[in-house]
Amino acid sequence: MATLSCQFHLAIHRLPCKARVRPCFSCSVQPSQSNIKVVINGAAKEIARAAVIAVTKARGMEVAGAVDSYCVGEDIGKVCDMEEPLEIPIMNDLTMVLGSISQSKETGVVVDFTQPSAVYDNVKQATAFGLRSVVHVPRITVDTISALSAFCEKASMGCLVAPTLSIGSILLQQAAISASFHYNNVEIVESRAHATDLPSPDAIQIANNLSNLGQIYNREDLSTDVSARGQVLGEDGVRVHSMVLPGLPSSTTVYFSGPGEVYTIKHDITDVQCLMPGLLLAIRKVARLKRIQFQQHLVYGLEKFL
C-alpha cells in the first residue's frame, strides 16, 4: 500500500508590477511501512484471546497466525467472539505458520503464551524463520533464561521475556524499590481468586527486587517461624502473605513502615485487558530491537522499555 505525499510551495520571483504570484504544488508517492505480522502461540488461552482482539484493533500490526492444540481448525476470530471472522484458522503446527509468514519477507513477532517447557524450542523455531519473540510465560527457570540468552546472542535475534505485561505492576515494583531505601519494615500481601502459583510471580519479583540492596527488613521478627507471619522470600527478611478467596480481584499490596507512619503501594487487576497496552508496547519494541540498545539480544522485563 502506498501513501500520497503533497507539499505546498509559495514561489516568489522578481516579476513586473501587476504580475501574479502562483503557488506551486508537488506530489510524490511513497511506500508505506507494512504492518508487523503477529503470531499468537497458545491462542486458546484467555490472555491470548484478548491479545488477538488488541492486535487486530492496534495500528501498525495484524494477526497473521494462531497456534494451539485446542480448537484446531476453528477461526481465531470466532474463538475470540469477534463480530466477524479473521479467516485465520488455529493450527497446531508452529513451523507451518512460521514458514508461511517468512515467505512474505515482512517483520514478524511471535507472542508466546504456552508453557515453560516449550519456550526454548518455540523461540528457536521463530528465530530460524527470522521472527522475533515476546515471551509471557510464568515460572520460566533461570536455566531456560540463560539458554535463551546464549541462543539469541548466537543467532543475533531479539527476544523479550516479560514476567509481567502489566504496566501498573511494573510501576508498583519501581515505587517499592525507591521506598525500600527509606523504610526498614516491609510486607507483601496479595489476593487471588484461585490458589495457583503462590506466591505469585509478581510477589516473587517484588521480593527479589527488594533483596540484595544492602537492607535487612523486619529485624524484630526476622527469625520467627510462626506460619501466620507469612513466607520469607530470600535472605533479607521480605515476607509474603497470600490470600485466596473466590471473587477477589488479583491484587498486590506492599506495606512499608517507619517510626510513626505506614507507606502503602497497591495495584489491582480486575480484567485481563490491563495487560494489552504492555503487550502492544512489547511487540512494537521487540520488532525493532537492536543489540546496541541493551548490549544483548535478549531483554528480560518489560520495564526496560518504559
Side-chain angles (χ1 to χ4, degrees):
M1 183 177 179
T3 57
L4 183 63
S5 172
C6 295
Q7 295 180 332
F8 174 83
H9 302 283
L10 183 61
I12 301 178
H13 305 280
R14 289 188 175 182
L15 298 173
C17 295
K18 300 183 180 180
R20 295 183 179 179
V21 178
R22 295 184 179 180
C24 175
F25 290 91
S26 64
C27 297
S28 62
V29 178
Q30 301 175 347
S32 62
Q33 188 174 3
S34 59
N35 288 343
I36 302 171
K37 307 297 182 182
V38 181
V39 177
I40 306 295
N41 195 3
K45 295 185 176 181
E46 180 186 8
I47 185 175
R49 297 197 302 271
V52 169
I53 297 173
V55 170
T56 301
K57 294 180 178 180
R59 297 181 61 183
M61 64 183 70
E62 62 183 88
V63 177
V67 181
D68 207 303
S69 57
Y70 296 95
C71 304
V72 176
E74 296 186 36
D75 185 273
I76 186 60
K78 290 185 177 180
V79 172
C80 297
D81 296 325
M82 300 179 69
E83 294 182 359
E84 296 183 1
L86 294 180
E87 299 183 358
I88 299 175
I90 296 178
M91 304 180 68
N92 60 359
D93 189 338
L94 177 60
T95 303
M96 185 177 296
V97 175
L98 296 176
S100 63
I101 295 175
S102 66
Q103 293 177 358
S104 66
K105 306 296 182 181
E106 297 184 31
T107 302
V109 174
V110 178
V111 180
D112 195 333
F113 294 121
T114 58
Q115 302 295 329
S117 59
V119 167
Y120 181 83
D121 289 337
N122 291 341
V123 173
K124 191 174 180 179
Q125 287 189 64
T127 300
F129 286 95
L131 278 73
R132 302 171 187 239
S133 298
V134 172
V135 179
H136 178 63
V137 177
R139 306 292 180 178
I140 299 179
T141 64
V142 175
D143 291 340
T144 300
I145 299 297
S146 299
L148 279 175
S149 180
F151 173 76
C152 290
E153 286 299 308
K154 184 177 180 179
S156 298
M157 184 62 71
C159 175
L160 168 66
V161 177
T164 181
L165 291 171
S166 167
I167 294 177
S169 178
I170 293 172
L171 294 176
L172 181 146
Q173 294 176 23
Q174 293 174 343
I177 292 174
S178 298
S180 67
F181 295 102
H182 305 281
Y183 298 96
N184 296 324
N185 300 290
V186 59
E187 305 269 335
I188 302 172
V189 180
E190 62 177 355
S191 65
R192 299 291 185 269
H194 307 286
T196 57
D197 291 335
L198 297 176
S200 69
D202 285 347
I204 294 174
Q205 184 66 47
I206 295 169
N208 290 339
N209 291 342
L210 298 182
S211 299
N212 302 318
L213 295 177
Q215 176 79 282
I216 300 298
Y217 308 96
N218 309 316
R219 291 177 181 271
E220 295 181 0
D221 62 350
L222 184 64
S223 60
T224 183
D225 57 357
V226 177
S227 299
R229 288 293 295 115
Q231 178 180 346
V232 177
L233 295 182
E235 300 178 355
D236 296 338
V238 180
R239 294 184 178 275
V240 178
H241 308 260
S242 299
M243 180 171 58
V244 179
L245 285 173
L248 282 179
S250 179
S251 176
T252 302
T253 307
V254 185
Y255 293 93
F256 291 93
S257 73
E261 67 173 340
V262 176
Y263 177 54
T264 305
I265 314 170
K266 185 177 182 182
H267 178 244
D268 295 333
I269 293 178
T270 58
D271 194 274
V272 72
Q273 292 296 328
C274 76
L275 306 180
M276 295 305 106
L279 174 63
L280 298 180
L281 174 65
I283 292 171
R284 291 189 174 103
K285 291 294 186 178
V286 81
R288 55 180 182 267
L289 179 63
K290 296 181 180 179
R291 188 180 190 277
I292 192 173
Q293 294 174 278
F294 300 99
Q295 305 303 317
Q296 57 186 5
H297 286 95
L298 183 139
V299 177
Y300 186 84
L302 181 61
E303 62 271 15
K304 303 294 194 308
F305 294 130
L306 295 182

